[in-house]
Every structure is written in structure tokens, then in C-alpha cells.
Amino acid sequence: MAEVRAEITANVWQVTAELGQLVGEGDEICILESMKMEIPVVTETPGVLAELHVAPGDVVQEGDLIAVIDES
Amino acid sequence: MTSTGGGDVHDWGPLVGDLAERRERALAMGGPDRVERQRSLGKLTVRERLDLLLDPGTWVEYGLLADHMDPGLGDRYLAADGAITGIGAIDGRPVAVAAYDFTVMAGSMGRVGEDKIARLRAHALSQRIPMVWLLDSAGARIQATSGSGFAGAGALFREQVAMSGVVPMVAAMLGHCAAGTAYIPALADFVPMVKGTSSMALGGRHLVKAAVGEDVTEEEMGGSAVHTTISGVADLEVADDRECLATVRRYLSFFPAHNRERPPVREAGAAGAPADPVDRRCEELYGIVPTAPRRAYDMRKVVTAVVDGGDVLWIKPGWAKNILTGLARVGGEPVGVVANQPMVLGGALDVNAADKAARFVWLCDAFNIPLVFLHDVPGFIVGSAVEKQGIIRHGAKMLFAVSEATVPKVSVVLRKSYGAGYFVMNGMAYEADYIVGWPTAEIAVMGPDGAVNIIHRKTLEAIPDEAERAQRRLELAEEIRAHIDPYVAAGHAQLDAVIDPADTRRAIAEGLRVARDKRVERPWRKHGVLPV
């Protein structure tokens, strides 16, 4: 299991991946909005999107858990 | 043999033979078992490393026949006292090298070996040539220095500080280094680390276990992953010894021998460098950079598109990835590139980005390497988290470095460049020698989406309906955006030109050409008081 965490305090603007989806290295999970910029959140680990902890409109703090990838 | 009547007085054979044996013994390093052990760890021997680092036939060694000379160590023989020193050439230019030999008492720092290295430092400084350390050393030879003899030690670091910014200094991490040999890289300019076999830490694992009770491996504590992605102490992770030594050669190719020389120019068509005309159009930039201001893209592609042959040596690429720093060439002349990376944190600056950029600017300025800034920055990150990290102090450090730099400084504003982010990226007021913008350039104290909430806060609060308020906010933001326009800045002559993005390479080359003989005089001072 690999965790994907927020790197910055931000609003969740869009969630672009779906639970259960197969994702590859560098694939986008969601897009944050902070500092007036769209900040894509990508996974560095390929696998299945096993958990998704954010929804559009949420506020995340730096270090908050966004998703969990099951690489098995 | 000539006899003079009183026996053989020209009996050189045994003497030369004895010398040859002594040399051979020294070149055998720590002996076959320890050499085999070194290889089994995936490391090259110190002699193989020197062969890879230097031009063939250029090595002049100092102190091959040195030994520990320590009565406490008895008859034990320590080849070269575990520290190989000498002067060789890289690309035909002399370089002083100090290489620790791990096969000799774990490369520990003995008195004689350190005397040898001190002599090399003095040579590097008086001859004004770069100094390279090949580090594979357990640190101080505790057996020899555990007593109060330590009280006079430490000159190596002070001398290294005196060399900083006078001659280039490289510390290649080729083994597990603790304490003394971890401070050498800390004071050097460039620190590549071999993945898996190198580490640096103030205390080795046994000391750490004893002192703080933590049970960690060298790799966990100070391996390349830690220092190139988390701490930022090292500059680059490399796969093995070979890549590490090739990287040292490549790094030094950008640098002059010392701070009163210009960096070496690579002539067009030189070996390995295909001619790349400075007026080459870069139309691929249209496809790389979105005109939509909030949309991210990979700035690395912009940098490789505009520099000679797409060739960049990225410095600290794995740490503070929201800013890019790299050495490259434009028209054959070395440049230091500082570029915001919208892919990471939207390109916003945080404490580590400011720290990384400030150090890189100081490095380039010290050695007369012109700076090229590529702006796409929404500003410094704001909020309580970054204030606790000291963002003001770190931001001031970047401001300080860019203000101090007297090398030619060229800026290209690709899209947004807001607030102090614009200043620290070499805005016009920072003695930018040439500053140009793309038609998408937005230079302002802050972006329209932020400014609208401040300028029109009361107007917006007075609108009770949420949808209507959002709509009005957008309209007012557009009104502000109309004033944030490169042609307004160009109209005030605060941008030297607005350029077609495809002409970015040409604009950079022109800016560097006109500023080539720039001179800046500053009032005398011992040194500024640095915000660090």
C-alpha cells in the first residue's frame, strides 16, 4: 500500500481518478487549487486506487492523506 | 659497472629495486583481501577512481610513500596513510585531488594523511585550481585522536571555508562517511552521491546507537535518498562510481579554474557538442506552455528546449522540485538557469525552494557564470504552516543572493510573476541586464484572482446572493487582469521587450551578449549579514 499525500494546503478542485481504477506512475488522482494555481496530485506508485479520502470542495492541509494505492 | 678501485660504488640496482618494491606495496593499497571486499561492495578502488576521474597520464602524486608514523599503531603498514593526494587534469585543466582509501583502515583520517591533504588544499589555493575530494572514509581515526591531541584539530574546515568561492570545490560521496568526512561535503560546492553505497551523517550508526539509542542503517540515516530528496545536503544521486566520476568531470566543465577567470566557452562544433545556432527558433514551446494561466506544465521541457543541445546538468533535481536549478550553455557559454516549476506546488516558492535557489545563485555568481531566470511564479506560499518554517527568513535569503549577484542576469517572464516572487526571480529592479516577457506575461503585486478579494472586498461582501457574488468577482477580476498585461509593463519600459516564445533562446543569447562585460561596483564591506 502506498500513500499519496497533499504537499500544500489547498482546496480540492477536481477528483480525476475513480476508486478501483488502475493507475500508473505519474497518473493524476486529483487536482488541488492553491496559490491560484491548479496543482495536479499524481501517484508515484502504480497500482489500484484502493482508498480516496477527498472530494471536490474539501480543504486539505500539507501532509493530509489523499489516496492509497494498492500496488499488489 | 665502473670500478674505481675501492669496490663497487655505483651499485644502484638494490636501491632502485627497494624503491620499486616500496612503491608497489603502496599501490597495492590495503592488500588483496580488503581490495576484494571493496569490490564486493560494488565500489571501485581508489586507484581505479583516479583513472576514471582524470585525463590519462596527467597524475602527479604527492606522498605515495607516506605511512601512519604513529607508534601507537605499531608495525602496521598503512599505504599512503589511507589518503591519496595529487594533481591531475580534467579536460586538460589541472585539478587537485584528495581521495580516501577505504581499504586502508576504513579510509580513516590519520595525521599523516591529513597533512598530505592540507598540503593539497594549499596547492589548490595558491595555484588557483579546483579541489576534488573522493570521499570513502569512516571519519576520524579514533585510535589515534581519542585524547586531548584533538584540541588543535579542525583546520581543515576553516581552510575549506577560506577556499570557498575562490576555487571550485567538489566532494564526491563514494562510501559511508561520518563526522569529519561529512563536513567536507557540507562545505564543498557540489556533492554527488552514489546510490546504495554512500552516505553522510554526523554520527555513524554505532555512535548513534550509543548516543541516542536509535537503531538505523547508514542508508536510512544519511543515504542518497535522504540527502537528495529530504535534507537537500547533496546535489545529485548517481547510480555508481563510474557515473559519479563522469559527473564530476561534467560539472567542472562549466567552471573556471578560479573566481578571477571566465568560465570556459565550448566552441561550436567542439567534440560532443553539435553546433546549435543561438537564433534557433523554439516553436515546440507553443506546445509545452499552456496560455491558460492556471494550468501546469513541465518547465524542464522549456529549459531543455532553449539551451545548447538540450543539455542541462540539474542541481538538486530531487529536492525543492518547485524550483529548477541547472547548469547549461547558451552559444557555448556556461549559464546557471533558475526556473519556476509549475508542475510542483504550482511553482509557488517555499522555504526549501528559496534556499536551493539562493545557494545556486551564490555558486554561479562566485564563479562568473551568468544567470538566466525563467519566471512562472504565483509568489511565495502564504499561511501559518510556512510562517512557522521561517518563509520570511528563507525568502530574504533568495532576495539577498539575487541582489548581491553581479554576473550578467537575464530574465524571461513566461506567464505570471507575482509579488516578491517577481523580485527574487530577478525582476527589473534587481539589476536585470535584460528582461523580456512573453505575450502571456503577468507582472503584478498579486494575481487578479487574489487582488479582487482585497480591492473589492466590501463591494463583494455587500452582495447577498452567492452566485451573483461569484459572478461579480469574476468580472472585477477581469477588470484587474486588463491592467496586468505585458504591454502595460512594456509601455512603462519596465519590460525591455515582449517576445514571441519561439524566440526565447535568441533573446537569452542577446541578453547575455550585451551584458558580457558588465561591471558592478558596490560599497566596501567585510560582508553582508546574511539571512540564512
Side-chain angles (χ1 to χ4, degrees):
Chain A
M1 292 287 182
E3 293 177 341
V4 178
R5 292 183 177 274
E7 291 187 327
I8 188 171
T9 304
N11 297 305
V12 178
W13 185 52
Q14 289 178 1
V15 175
T16 47
E18 284 175 15
L19 265 184
Q21 185 186 325
L22 200 61
V23 288
E25 185 186 336
D27 282 359
E28 195 174 86
I29 307 291
C30 66
I31 303 176
L32 304 181
E33 195 275 324
S34 184
M35 296 297 296
K36 307 297 164 194
M37 285 291 294
E38 294 167 19
I39 300 175
V41 176
V42 300
T43 169
E44 288 176 12
T45 314
V48 173
L49 185 55
E51 294 174 31
L52 192 58
H53 293 270
V54 295
D58 286 358
V59 173
V60 289
Q61 301 296 324
E62 184 182 336
D64 280 0
L65 187 63
I66 287 181
V68 175
I69 310 292
D70 183 350
E71 63 262 71
S72 57
Chain B
M1 216 61 74
T2 312
S3 175
T4 53
D8 189 355
V9 296
H10 292 269
D11 189 12
W12 286 101
L15 298 173
V16 173
D18 176 51
L19 171 60
E21 268 175 38
R22 287 171 186 268
R23 283 184 178 154
E24 210 169 299
R25 187 168 68 142
L27 291 171
M29 301 171 276
D33 293 350
R34 291 204 174 80
V35 166
E36 184 46 44
R37 167 93 180 122
Q38 175 85 353
R39 293 221 171 88
S40 73
L41 295 169
K43 301 194 289 188
L44 297 175
T45 67
V46 70
R47 297 282 165 190
E48 290 164 340
R49 287 169 178 167
L50 291 169
D51 286 346
L52 285 168
L53 176 69
L54 301 164
D55 299 348
T58 61
W59 177 243
V60 177
E61 183 153 345
Y62 287 64
L64 171 65
L65 300 180
D67 197 351
H68 57 80
M69 308 309 279
D70 179 354
L73 289 172
D75 325 337
R76 196 166 169 182
Y77 172 64
L78 297 184
D81 201 27
I84 316 301
T85 56
I87 296 176
I90 292 179
D91 293 333
R93 300 188 301 156
V95 175
V97 184
Y100 288 91
D101 183 355
F102 196 77
T103 70
V104 176
M105 231 178 149
S108 56
M109 307 164 88
R111 182 190 60 78
V112 177
E114 290 307 302
D115 283 351
K116 286 169 62 177
I117 295 176
R119 183 162 160 77
L120 250 286
R121 280 195 301 273
H123 280 338
L125 195 55
S126 65
Q127 293 165 24
R128 294 293 195 269
I129 57 176
M131 177 93 187
V132 174
W133 285 262
L134 304 184
L135 294 167
D136 188 358
S137 158
R141 193 175 290 161
I142 306 295
Q143 293 87 340
T145 55
S146 54
S148 289
F150 177 75
L156 75 169
F157 303 129
R158 179 185 50 73
E159 289 176 13
Q160 217 185 317
V161 170
M163 291 164 79
S164 181
V166 181
V167 293
M169 294 193 284
V170 175
M173 305 306 292
L174 297 151
H176 296 299
C177 297
T181 40
Y183 268 120
I184 293 170
L187 296 167
D189 308 337
F190 178 60
V191 184
M193 283 188 88
V194 179
K195 184 176 183 177
T197 53
S198 81
S199 67
M200 50 181 154
L202 283 193
R205 57 182 300 190
H206 302 298
L207 179 70
V208 165
K209 180 84 171 82
V212 298
E214 192 185 10
D215 206 353
V216 283
T217 64
E218 273 99 357
E219 181 70 21
E220 288 165 347
M221 187 162 48
S224 56
V226 170
H227 288 310
T228 61
T229 68
I230 301 168
S231 77
V233 175
D235 291 296
L236 202 57
E237 180 183 75
V238 290
D240 54 23
D241 285 15
R242 276 170 199 282
E243 188 187 341
C244 187
L245 298 161
T247 303
V248 173
R249 290 181 63 96
R250 187 175 169 216
Y251 171 85
L252 286 173
S253 76
F254 292 99
F255 284 79
H258 57 83
N259 63 345
R260 289 188 182 272
E261 221 179 46
R262 281 182 190 271
V265 178
R266 182 173 285 177
E267 299 302 330
D276 189 353
V278 291
D279 59 356
R280 171 171 57 80
R281 297 254 304 162
C282 305
E283 294 191 0
E284 64 270 41
L285 293 175
Y286 299 139
I288 294 169
V289 183
T291 50
R294 288 160 49 94
R295 195 62 53 85
Y297 62 93
D298 189 351
M299 182 65 97
R300 284 175 299 192
K301 293 179 183 168
V302 175
V303 179
T304 52
V306 301
V307 302
D308 288 1
D311 188 23
V312 187
L313 176 58
W314 299 111
I315 303 293
K316 299 194 201 289
W319 182 68
K321 295 196 270 188
N322 42 338
I323 198 155
L324 301 172
T325 51
L327 295 160
R329 292 182 179 81
V330 175
E333 302 215 26
V335 292
V337 179
V338 180
N340 308 114
Q341 171 58 293
M343 281 264 284
V344 181
L345 301 180
L349 296 165
D350 62 357
V351 292
N352 287 343
D355 194 87
K356 172 175 164 179
R359 182 176 161 91
F360 182 74
V361 167
W362 272 317
L363 171 71
C364 292
D365 187 51
F367 294 108
N368 311 315
I369 297 176
L371 290 161
V372 174
F373 295 84
L374 302 178
H375 299 225
D376 198 336
V377 58
F380 280 90
I381 296 178
V382 292
S384 62
V386 290
E387 293 302 343
K388 286 172 188 157
Q389 295 164 0
I391 186 99
I392 299 172
R393 175 163 64 82
H394 290 283
K397 174 163 49 182
M398 186 173 175
L399 202 58
F400 205 104
V402 174
S403 302
E404 269 197 329
T406 57
V407 289
K409 296 187 286 194
V410 173
S411 281
V412 180
V413 184
L414 278 63
R415 301 193 307 184
K416 76 202 91 55
S417 191
Y418 295 148
Y422 167 68
F423 297 161
V424 298
M425 287 297 289
N426 186 43
M428 179 168 251
Y430 287 76
E431 294 176 320
D433 295 286
Y434 193 50
I435 178 165
V436 301
W438 288 10
T440 39
E442 294 182 3
I443 303 172
V445 65
M446 65 174 69
D449 310 295
V452 71
N453 295 315
I454 295 171
I455 301 171
H456 299 293
R457 185 172 58 90
K458 284 186 180 155
T459 315
L460 290 167
E461 278 174 0
I463 302 171
D465 181 67
E466 199 170 317
E468 195 186 323
R469 189 165 65 232
Q471 179 58 31
R472 185 73 189 126
R473 179 180 287 119
L474 279 177
E475 289 165 10
L476 290 167
E478 283 315 304
E479 279 177 25
I480 296 168
R481 194 182 299 278
H483 297 281
I484 305 173
D485 175 312
Y487 298 104
V488 175
H492 286 288
Q494 289 172 355
L495 266 180
D496 295 317
V498 179
I499 63 164
D500 175 344
D503 290 326
T504 299
R505 175 173 161 82
R506 174 209 288 258
I508 292 169
E510 286 172 343
L512 294 171
R513 179 162 53 81
V514 296
R516 194 166 190 276
D517 293 314
K518 174 183 190 181
R519 288 192 74 88
V520 178
E521 306 287 342
R522 307 239 191 261
W524 183 90
R525 63 180 170 189
K526 276 182 77 178
H527 50 71
V529 182
L530 276 60
V532 291

PDB file of all heavy atoms in Angstrom, chain B residues 404-417:
ATOM      1  N   GLU B 404      22.740  40.477  -4.555  1.00  0.00           N
ATOM      2  CA  GLU B 404      24.201  40.523  -4.495  1.00  0.00           C
ATOM      3  C   GLU B 404      24.859  40.169  -5.815  1.00  0.00           C
ATOM      4  O   GLU B 404      25.955  40.616  -6.100  1.00  0.00           O
ATOM      5  CB  GLU B 404      24.699  39.496  -3.467  1.00  0.00           C
ATOM      6  CG  GLU B 404      24.854  40.018  -2.084  1.00  0.00           C
ATOM      7  CD  GLU B 404      25.728  39.090  -1.257  1.00  0.00           C
ATOM      8  OE1 GLU B 404      25.734  37.866  -1.496  1.00  0.00           O
ATOM      9  OE2 GLU B 404      26.388  39.597  -0.358  1.00  0.00           O
ATOM     10  N   ALA B 405      24.219  39.297  -6.590  1.00  0.00           N
ATOM     11  CA  ALA B 405      24.876  38.727  -7.775  1.00  0.00           C
ATOM     12  C   ALA B 405      25.194  39.821  -8.783  1.00  0.00           C
ATOM     13  O   ALA B 405      24.322  40.609  -9.166  1.00  0.00           O
ATOM     14  CB  ALA B 405      23.985  37.664  -8.402  1.00  0.00           C
ATOM     15  N   THR B 406      26.475  39.859  -9.205  1.00  0.00           N
ATOM     16  CA  THR B 406      26.906  40.891 -10.146  1.00  0.00           C
ATOM     17  C   THR B 406      27.192  40.306 -11.537  1.00  0.00           C
ATOM     18  O   THR B 406      27.667  41.011 -12.410  1.00  0.00           O
ATOM     19  CB  THR B 406      28.174  41.595  -9.634  1.00  0.00           C
ATOM     20  OG1 THR B 406      29.191  40.609  -9.424  1.00  0.00           O
ATOM     21  CG2 THR B 406      27.917  42.339  -8.340  1.00  0.00           C
ATOM     22  N   VAL B 407      26.927  39.019 -11.714  1.00  0.00           N
ATOM     23  CA  VAL B 407      27.103  38.429 -13.051  1.00  0.00           C
ATOM     24  C   VAL B 407      25.984  38.928 -13.971  1.00  0.00           C
ATOM     25  O   VAL B 407      24.962  39.445 -13.491  1.00  0.00           O
ATOM     26  CB  VAL B 407      27.052  36.882 -12.989  1.00  0.00           C
ATOM     27  CG1 VAL B 407      28.290  36.324 -12.332  1.00  0.00           C
ATOM     28  CG2 VAL B 407      25.793  36.405 -12.293  1.00  0.00           C
ATOM     29  N   PRO B 408      26.140  38.799 -15.297  1.00  0.00           N
ATOM     30  CA  PRO B 408      25.020  39.109 -16.192  1.00  0.00           C
ATOM     31  C   PRO B 408      23.773  38.331 -15.774  1.00  0.00           C
ATOM     32  O   PRO B 408      23.868  37.141 -15.456  1.00  0.00           O
ATOM     33  CB  PRO B 408      25.539  38.650 -17.558  1.00  0.00           C
ATOM     34  CG  PRO B 408      27.025  38.791 -17.456  1.00  0.00           C
ATOM     35  CD  PRO B 408      27.356  38.423 -16.040  1.00  0.00           C
ATOM     36  N   LYS B 409      22.640  39.031 -15.723  1.00  0.00           N
ATOM     37  CA  LYS B 409      21.391  38.406 -15.269  1.00  0.00           C
ATOM     38  C   LYS B 409      20.290  38.690 -16.287  1.00  0.00           C
ATOM     39  O   LYS B 409      19.949  39.856 -16.515  1.00  0.00           O
ATOM     40  CB  LYS B 409      20.984  38.935 -13.890  1.00  0.00           C
ATOM     41  CG  LYS B 409      21.978  38.590 -12.783  1.00  0.00           C
ATOM     42  CD  LYS B 409      21.480  38.967 -11.391  1.00  0.00           C
ATOM     43  CE  LYS B 409      21.502  40.438 -11.082  1.00  0.00           C
ATOM     44  NZ  LYS B 409      21.325  40.744  -9.648  1.00  0.00           N
ATOM     45  N   VAL B 410      19.766  37.632 -16.876  1.00  0.00           N
ATOM     46  CA  VAL B 410      18.723  37.769 -17.900  1.00  0.00           C
ATOM     47  C   VAL B 410      17.450  37.110 -17.386  1.00  0.00           C
ATOM     48  O   VAL B 410      17.508  36.030 -16.799  1.00  0.00           O
ATOM     49  CB  VAL B 410      19.186  37.093 -19.210  1.00  0.00           C
ATOM     50  CG1 VAL B 410      18.065  37.069 -20.231  1.00  0.00           C
ATOM     51  CG2 VAL B 410      20.417  37.813 -19.770  1.00  0.00           C
ATOM     52  N   SER B 411      16.310  37.784 -17.584  1.00  0.00           N
ATOM     53  CA  SER B 411      15.033  37.217 -17.148  1.00  0.00           C
ATOM     54  C   SER B 411      14.070  37.084 -18.321  1.00  0.00           C
ATOM     55  O   SER B 411      13.995  37.966 -19.171  1.00  0.00           O
ATOM     56  CB  SER B 411      14.357  38.119 -16.106  1.00  0.00           C
ATOM     57  OG  SER B 411      14.931  37.926 -14.834  1.00  0.00           O
ATOM     58  N   VAL B 412      13.345  35.966 -18.328  1.00  0.00           N
ATOM     59  CA  VAL B 412      12.254  35.790 -19.283  1.00  0.00           C
ATOM     60  C   VAL B 412      10.997  35.505 -18.459  1.00  0.00           C
ATOM     61  O   VAL B 412      10.976  34.547 -17.674  1.00  0.00           O
ATOM     62  CB  VAL B 412      12.521  34.616 -20.247  1.00  0.00           C
ATOM     63  CG1 VAL B 412      11.367  34.475 -21.229  1.00  0.00           C
ATOM     64  CG2 VAL B 412      13.850  34.808 -20.988  1.00  0.00           C
ATOM     65  N   VAL B 413       9.977  36.346 -18.604  1.00  0.00           N
ATOM     66  CA  VAL B 413       8.728  36.145 -17.876  1.00  0.00           C
ATOM     67  C   VAL B 413       7.774  35.401 -18.805  1.00  0.00           C
ATOM     68  O   VAL B 413       7.283  35.958 -19.792  1.00  0.00           O
ATOM     69  CB  VAL B 413       8.123  37.492 -17.423  1.00  0.00           C
ATOM     70  CG1 VAL B 413       6.872  37.243 -16.574  1.00  0.00           C
ATOM     71  CG2 VAL B 413       9.151  38.314 -16.647  1.00  0.00           C
ATOM     72  N   LEU B 414       7.543  34.123 -18.519  1.00  0.00           N
ATOM     73  CA  LEU B 414       6.721  33.303 -19.405  1.00  0.00           C
ATOM     74  C   LEU B 414       5.240  33.603 -19.208  1.00  0.00           C
ATOM     75  O   LEU B 414       4.515  33.843 -20.161  1.00  0.00           O
ATOM     76  CB  LEU B 414       6.973  31.820 -19.158  1.00  0.00           C
ATOM     77  CG  LEU B 414       8.202  31.206 -19.832  1.00  0.00           C
ATOM     78  CD1 LEU B 414       9.483  31.836 -19.343  1.00  0.00           C
ATOM     79  CD2 LEU B 414       8.243  29.703 -19.617  1.00  0.00           C
ATOM     80  N   ARG B 415       4.795  33.522 -17.960  1.00  0.00           N
ATOM     81  CA  ARG B 415       3.384  33.797 -17.660  1.00  0.00           C
ATOM     82  C   ARG B 415       3.350  34.678 -16.419  1.00  0.00           C
ATOM     83  O   ARG B 415       3.744  35.820 -16.468  1.00  0.00           O
ATOM     84  CB  ARG B 415       2.602  32.488 -17.480  1.00  0.00           C
ATOM     85  CG  ARG B 415       2.646  31.571 -18.713  1.00  0.00           C
ATOM     86  CD  ARG B 415       1.620  30.458 -18.619  1.00  0.00           C
ATOM     87  NE  ARG B 415       1.739  29.711 -17.370  1.00  0.00           N
ATOM     88  CZ  ARG B 415       1.029  28.654 -17.052  1.00  0.00           C
ATOM     89  NH1 ARG B 415       0.098  28.188 -17.902  1.00  0.00           N
ATOM     90  NH2 ARG B 415       1.185  28.035 -15.919  1.00  0.00           N
ATOM     91  N   LYS B 416       2.882  34.133 -15.304  1.00  0.00           N
ATOM     92  CA  LYS B 416       2.724  35.014 -14.162  1.00  0.00           C
ATOM     93  C   LYS B 416       4.042  35.234 -13.412  1.00  0.00           C
ATOM     94  O   LYS B 416       4.921  34.345 -13.396  1.00  0.00           O
ATOM     95  CB  LYS B 416       1.660  34.453 -13.206  1.00  0.00           C
ATOM     96  CG  LYS B 416       2.114  33.291 -12.377  1.00  0.00           C
ATOM     97  CD  LYS B 416       0.961  32.467 -11.895  1.00  0.00           C
ATOM     98  CE  LYS B 416       0.651  31.368 -12.864  1.00  0.00           C
ATOM     99  NZ  LYS B 416       1.772  30.503 -13.184  1.00  0.00           N
ATOM    100  N   SER B 417       4.198  36.371 -12.815  1.00  0.00           N
ATOM    101  CA  SER B 417       5.336  36.630 -11.930  1.00  0.00           C
ATOM    102  C   SER B 417       4.850  37.652 -10.927  1.00  0.00           C
ATOM    103  O   SER B 417       4.804  38.845 -11.197  1.00  0.00           O
ATOM    104  CB  SER B 417       6.533  37.144 -12.737  1.00  0.00           C
ATOM    105  OG  SER B 417       7.677  37.144 -11.924  1.00  0.00           O
TER     106      SER B 417
END
